[in-house]
Amino acid sequence: MENAATRLAEVKANIARICKPARREVDDVTLIAVSKTHPTDRITPLLEAGHRVFGENRVQEAQEKWPALREQYPDAEVHLIGQLQSNKAEDAVQLFDCIHALDRPSLLKALAKAMDKAGKRVPCFVQVNIGDEDQKGGCPINQLPDFLGKVRDAGVPIAGLMCLPPADIEPAPFFALLAKLARDNDIQGLSMGMSGDYETAVQLGATHIRVGTALFGPRGG
Ligand SMILES: *Cc1c(COP(=O)(O)O)cnc(C)c1O
């Protein structure tokens, strides 16, 4: 039986193996351990192994799990990686260290207001609808420069660009396109890559990879 600490060491070794020929520094890739659906007793072993950056996709679930974990591990960082409804913006600003799915003007407005109220600036990744999929969130590519201008004007710190490429197609071209969009818009951060494709994402410049299953095993399993 593999435990979480062993899986963590494996994923980190894979990142290091990819970084070397890609001439990248391991420290420039932040591994976000996606702990959504997993109870706190599955998360604690990773904290004990020294890991500090985690991802959740629901505000309410994170509210239930993280205040207690943070009492024990005050330097733990929690990122919101999923879709966010504008009416949850205040809770999200209070709870999270980083938000990965800023993708529309209405949410920008709600987040800017919540940040003013909380006196706290939470860095946000701007999600791009990289495969032009109707059912997916994300700013359309042709509206990206305009939307980034709006984010900057609102004083919301831009952590980078984020994408979820279409399922069941080779993801590399989408990662490369996100990297190009970041370069074109003077943005450094790239949140891309999950359990199945984080190695490709690191090769193509990911600064933040969001890995759940490879660390925790299957969800609901
Ligand atoms: C669940 C989730 C992940 C992690 O997926 P795995 O395949 O389990 O690594 C990454 N990003 C987002 C946005 C997710 O919702």
Side-chain angles (χ1 to χ4, degrees), residues 43-55:
I43 300 173
T44 311
L46 278 188
L47 285 159
E48 281 171 356
H51 195 74
R52 287 294 178 272
V53 188
F54 292 83

Side-chain angles (χ1 to χ4, degrees), residues 34 36 81 162 164 194-195 210-213 219:
V34 177
K36 66 187 188 196
I81 60 166
M162 179 270 204
L164 276 166
M194 325 205 307
S195 291
R210 310 177 307 264
V211 178
T213 310
R219 284 178 286 276

Side-chain angles (χ1 to χ4, degrees), residues 38-136:
H38 297 298
T40 52
D41 63 355
R42 300 282 310 280
I43 300 173
T44 311
L46 278 188
L47 285 159
E48 281 171 356
H51 195 74
R52 287 294 178 272
V53 188
F54 292 83
E56 294 282 346
N57 72 336
R58 286 177 198 280
V59 174
Q60 196 190 331
E61 184 186 338
Q63 278 170 331
E64 286 162 10
K65 284 154 63 175
W66 281 95
L69 288 168
R70 274 180 163 150
E71 258 173 50
Q72 259 187 298
Y73 299 93
D75 57 341
E77 240 182 70
V78 189
H79 293 220
L80 178 66
I81 60 166
Q83 297 265 343
L84 176 60
Q85 290 165 344
S86 297
N87 63 7
K88 301 235 171 89
E90 268 191 42
D91 289 335
V93 164
Q94 272 166 18
L95 190 61
F96 293 101
D97 300 290
C98 186
I99 292 171
H100 286 243
L102 172 52
D103 64 352
R104 56 193 190 278
S106 57
L107 179 59
L108 171 64
K109 208 170 151 204
L111 283 171
K113 195 170 156 210
M115 288 184 204
D116 285 342
K117 194 172 166 192
K120 177 183 175 196
R121 300 273 123 191
V122 180
C124 293
F125 283 86
V126 170
Q127 184 177 351
V128 180
N129 190 345
I130 203 75
D132 194 21
E133 295 174 284
D134 290 339
Q135 78 279 16
K136 260 196 199 146

